[in-house]
C-alpha cells in the first residue's frame, strides 16, 4: 500500500520511522534488530536516508593533505529492498540531488522500479561541509523542484533526455520535506513555504517536517500552509532528546529551537540517562498534544534513540 494512501486513511493513527543505512563494513545486524523493535508498532512506512560521497582530507606520510571522496553509508536502495522483503513493511528511500548526476538518479529510479519500491522522499540533500552554500554536482540538480520534475517525467514515460521508456513501470509516489522553523538557507519562512507550495504543484503528495520540539511552531506552520493553498498532508517529524550534549548539538545541527521549558529541565539532568528519560517524557506529551490537535500521523527520527522511540510508541498506543 502506498504511503500516500496509508496516511490519507480516515480516523486511523500511524507511526513511521526514519533509519540510517549502516556504516560501510559494519553489516546490517544492528539495523535489522532495531527495525524488529519498531515493527511491533505496525509502522505505516520506514524511510531510509541516503548519503552520497563526501570529501575528506587525509594526511600523507610527508605531512601534506590529500582530498579524497569517501562514501560512508552506501546501500540505501539495497537496505530498503532488504527491509521490505524481511519485514513486509512499506519502505521509502530518500532520493537526493546532492552528490548525484541526473543520470545517476535515473539509474536509481530504474533499480527502485525493478525492486517494486515506488514510494520516494525527494530531497536536495545537505551542502558539503566546506561549502558556504549548496553546490550541485556537475550534471545534477540544484533544487528539489528539479528532482521532482525528473521523477514526474520518468512517471510520464520519458528518460531525462526525452527518450521514451519502452515499458514504463508503476508510477512513483512523491513525498518531500518541509521546515516549520524554515530551512537554514531560506531568507524567511514565507519564502520557504512558497517552495513547499511549488513542490505540491509539481506533484508532491505529502510532506514530512524537520524535527521540532515546540508544537506551536508546527501548528502555526500548518495553519499558514493551508492559508497559502498547501493542501497536502504535513506529517510532524519528532525526535526525542537522548543525551545531555544534545542541548547544544541539536539546535546547531537541525536549526531548530529548544523551548525554554525543556532547556531548563535538561540543565537539571546529571547523566545521559537522566536526559534520555526526560526526552521520553517530553516527547510523549508532545505527541499527545499533537493528537489532541487532530494529528493522526507521527514520524520519528530514530538515530541514537531507537529504545526511546519504542518506549514512546508503547505509551501512545
Amino acid at each position: 500500500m502506498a504511503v500516500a494512501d496509508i496516511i490519507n486513511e480516515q480516523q486511523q493513527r500511524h507511526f513511521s520511522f526514519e533509519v540510517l543505512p549502516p556504516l560501510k563494513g559494519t553489516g546490517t545486524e544492528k539495523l535489522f534488530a532495531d527495525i524488529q523493535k519498531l515493527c511491533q508498532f505496525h509502522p505505516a512506512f520506514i524511510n531510509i536516508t541516503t548519503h552520497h560521497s563526501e570529501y575528506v582530507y587525509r594526511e600523507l606520510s610527508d605531512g601534506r593533505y590529500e582530498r579524497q571522496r569517501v562514501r560512508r553509508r552506501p546501500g540505501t536502495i539495497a537496505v530498503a529492498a532488504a527491509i521490505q522483503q524481511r519485514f513486509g513493511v512499506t519502505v521509502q528511500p530518500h532520493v537526493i540531488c546532492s552528490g548525484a548526476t541526473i543520470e545517476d538518479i535515473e539509474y536509481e529510479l530504474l533499480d527502485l522500479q525493478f525492486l517494486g519500491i515506488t514510494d520516494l522522499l525527494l530531497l536536495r540533500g545537505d551542502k558539503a561541509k566546506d561549502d558556504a552554500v549548496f553546490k550541485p554536482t556537475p550534471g545534477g540538480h540544484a533544487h528539489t523542484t528539479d528532482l521532482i520534475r525528473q521523477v514526474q517525467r520518468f512517471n510520464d514515460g520519458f528518460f531525462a533526455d526525452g527518450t521514451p521508456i519502452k515499458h514504463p513501470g508503476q508510477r512513483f509516489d512523491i513525498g518531500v520535506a518541509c521546515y516549520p522553523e524554515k530551512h537554514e538557507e531560506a531568507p524567511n519562512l514565507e519564502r520557504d513555504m512558497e517552495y513547499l507550495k511549488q513542490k505540491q504543484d509539481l506533484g508532491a503528495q505529502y510532506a514530512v517536517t524537520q524535527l521540532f520540539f515546540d508544537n506551536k511552531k508546527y501548528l502555526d506552520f500548518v495553519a499558514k500552509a493551508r492559508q497559502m493553498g498547501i493542501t497536502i498532508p504535513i506529517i510532524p517529524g519528532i525526535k526525542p532528546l537522548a543525551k545531555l550534549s544534545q542541548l547544544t548539538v541539536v539546535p546547531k545541527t537541525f536549526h531548530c529551537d529548544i523551548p525554554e521549558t525543556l532547556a531548563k529541565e535538561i540543565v537539571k539532568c546529571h547523566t545521559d540517562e537522566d536526559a534520555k528519560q526526560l526526552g521520553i517524557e517530553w516527547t510523549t506529551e508532545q505527541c499527545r498534544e499533537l493528537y489532541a490537535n487532530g494529528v493522526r500521523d507521527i514520524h520519528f527520527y530514530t538515530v541514537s534513540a531507537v529504545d526511546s522511540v519504542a518506549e514512546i510508541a508503547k505509551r501512545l498506543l
Side-chain angles (χ1 to χ4, degrees), residues 155-166:
N155 279 341
D156 291 338
F158 295 93
F159 291 117
D161 64 1
T163 303
I165 302 173
K166 290 183 179 180

Side-chain angles (χ1 to χ4, degrees), residues 10-311:
Q10 296 299 313
Q11 307 304 320
Q12 178 121 6
R13 290 178 178 174
H14 302 107
F15 297 134
S16 56
F17 306 109
E18 178 178 285
V19 299
L20 271 67
L23 285 166
K24 181 179 178 181
T26 59
T28 58
E29 184 176 345
K30 184 180 184 308
L31 172 64
F32 289 161
D34 288 342
I35 292 172
Q36 187 68 56
K37 287 181 187 177
L38 299 173
C39 277
Q40 65 182 300
F41 305 108
H42 308 291
F45 62 93
I46 292 176
N47 75 28
I48 305 97
T49 62
T50 294
H51 301 262
H52 283 299
S53 302
E54 59 185 81
Y55 285 111
V56 298
Y57 291 88
R58 291 187 173 162
E59 187 174 5
L60 303 177
S61 58
D62 60 4
R64 293 182 298 119
Y65 284 86
E66 179 180 62
R67 191 165 86 151
Q68 298 179 349
R69 290 187 71 88
V70 174
R71 191 169 184 187
R72 301 183 187 278
R73 294 184 185 272
T76 295
I77 293 175
V79 168
I83 292 171
Q84 178 176 258
Q85 182 179 36
R86 180 176 292 227
F87 299 100
V89 63
T90 298
V91 291
Q92 180 201 54
H94 293 194
V95 175
I96 65 176
C97 304
S98 178
T101 66
I102 291 170
E103 185 179 37
D104 291 333
I105 292 165
E106 193 159 84
Y107 280 108
E108 288 181 43
L109 298 178
L110 286 166
D111 285 345
L112 288 163
Q113 203 171 61
F114 293 156
L115 291 164
I117 297 172
T118 54
D119 287 287
L120 310 178
L121 190 71
L122 302 186
L123 306 162
R124 189 201 68 181
D126 296 331
K127 61 182 175 63
K129 293 177 183 178
D130 296 333
D131 292 339
V133 296
F134 180 81
K135 295 179 181 178
T137 298
H141 295 306
H143 305 287
T144 306
T145 47
D146 300 324
L147 179 55
I148 295 173
R149 288 187 183 96
Q150 179 179 353
V151 174
Q152 292 291 52
R153 189 162 175 76
F154 191 95
N155 279 341
D156 291 338
F158 295 93
F159 291 117
D161 64 1
T163 303
I165 302 173
K166 290 183 179 180
H167 300 285
Q170 186 176 346
R171 294 178 67 87
F172 289 104
D173 283 357
I174 296 170
V176 294
C178 61
Y179 304 85
E181 298 173 68
K182 92 172 185 62
H183 191 277
E184 61 171 311
E185 297 172 34
N188 52 59
L189 183 59
E190 289 72 19
R191 179 64 62 84
D192 201 26
M193 295 181 76
E194 288 175 9
Y195 298 145
L196 178 58
K197 178 66 163 58
Q198 290 177 25
K199 294 174 188 178
Q200 172 186 274
D201 294 346
L202 288 167
Q205 295 157 282
Y206 53 91
V208 181
T209 76
Q210 176 63 282
L211 63 89
F212 61 90
F213 297 92
D214 186 343
N215 284 347
K216 186 177 186 304
K217 293 188 176 182
Y218 166 79
L219 295 170
D220 288 349
F221 178 84
V222 173
K224 190 165 188 174
R226 301 310 180 219
Q227 292 172 3
M228 294 178 62
I230 299 170
T231 59
I232 57 175
I234 299 175
I235 303 171
I238 305 293
K239 180 178 175 64
L241 292 173
K243 297 180 181 179
L244 286 170
S245 61
Q246 291 177 341
L247 176 61
T248 53
V249 171
V250 167
K252 180 180 178 181
T253 303
F254 298 100
H255 309 282
C256 62
D257 289 337
I258 292 182
E260 183 59 18
T261 304
L262 178 56
K264 285 180 178 178
E265 293 302 314
I266 295 172
V267 297
K268 295 178 186 178
C269 296
H270 298 292
T271 66
D272 282 345
E273 182 59 29
D274 292 340
K276 176 181 175 181
Q277 291 306 314
L278 173 62
I280 290 171
E281 297 293 337
W282 179 275
T283 304
T284 301
E285 292 309 309
Q286 186 181 2
C287 293
R288 286 174 175 158
E289 184 180 35
L290 289 170
Y291 284 154
N293 280 275
V295 170
R296 295 197 311 270
D297 303 290
I298 294 177
H299 185 68
F300 287 104
Y301 296 101
T302 70
V303 178
S304 303
V306 170
D307 290 339
S308 295
V309 168
E311 177 60 27

